[in-house]
Amino acid sequence: MASGKATEKDQLAVSLNDLFTSVSAMVKGELQETNNVLELLEKMNVRVAEEYQGFGDVASGLRVFVEQLKSKSSTFDDYVQQLDAIEQNVTEFEAVISMLDKYVSLLESKMQSVYQIPPA
């Protein structure tokens, strides 16, 4: 019986050893998977950082370009104001011409009626 118990203990020890080896392999596999995922995430973060660095350079260049355009456009403000004033004067001049045209037509009709000249 003693040898039967020793055999059972040996089988139990072997089974426990197999169990611990299997659990250890499983934990090692899980840790390796997690490690692989973290390495992939790190590579993705590096790639995204490189991409956004490029966008940052483009945005910085665009900001400089916009500032240059603003400084150039401010020099045109005086010209734009002068053009607006000219446009206003032309509109007023057109109104005066229209009134003069009506007045000349009225005078012409009066002259024709006074001298009885047939309308042309």
Side-chain angles (χ1 to χ4, degrees):
M1 270 220 184
S3 73
K5 279 194 166 193
T7 306
E8 285 181 24
K9 285 184 179 182
D10 288 343
Q11 280 185 331
L12 182 60
V14 169
S15 295
L16 286 174
N17 188 31
D18 289 345
L19 175 67
F20 288 132
T21 302
S22 297
V23 169
S24 174
M26 183 186 76
V27 169
K28 184 178 178 183
E30 291 288 327
L31 290 174
Q32 185 62 43
E33 177 187 352
T34 303
N35 191 33
N36 290 343
V37 168
L38 291 174
E39 286 177 1
L40 176 63
L41 183 61
E42 181 181 8
K43 289 176 183 176
M44 290 170 62
N45 282 340
V46 168
R47 177 68 178 116
V48 168
E50 289 171 356
E51 188 72 26
Y52 280 113
Q53 176 64 32
F55 287 147
D57 293 342
V58 168
S60 177
L62 286 174
R63 185 187 53 78
V64 169
F65 181 68
V66 167
E67 290 298 324
Q68 290 173 348
L69 285 178
K70 281 184 181 179
S71 68
K72 288 179 183 178
S73 71
S74 66
T75 60
F76 291 116
D77 287 343
D78 291 335
Y79 298 117
V80 169
Q81 290 174 355
Q82 290 175 3
L83 287 172
D84 288 341
I86 289 171
E87 182 180 6
Q88 181 65 31
N89 288 338
V90 166
T91 303
E92 291 172 2
F93 188 59
E94 287 174 343
V96 169
I97 288 173
S98 175
M99 288 173 46
L100 285 174
D101 185 43
K102 289 177 184 176
Y103 183 70
V104 167
S105 294
L106 180 65
L107 284 177
E108 183 180 10
S109 68
K110 284 184 179 183
M111 290 298 292
Q112 287 175 352
S113 68
V114 168
Y115 292 107
Q116 297 187 354
I117 303 171

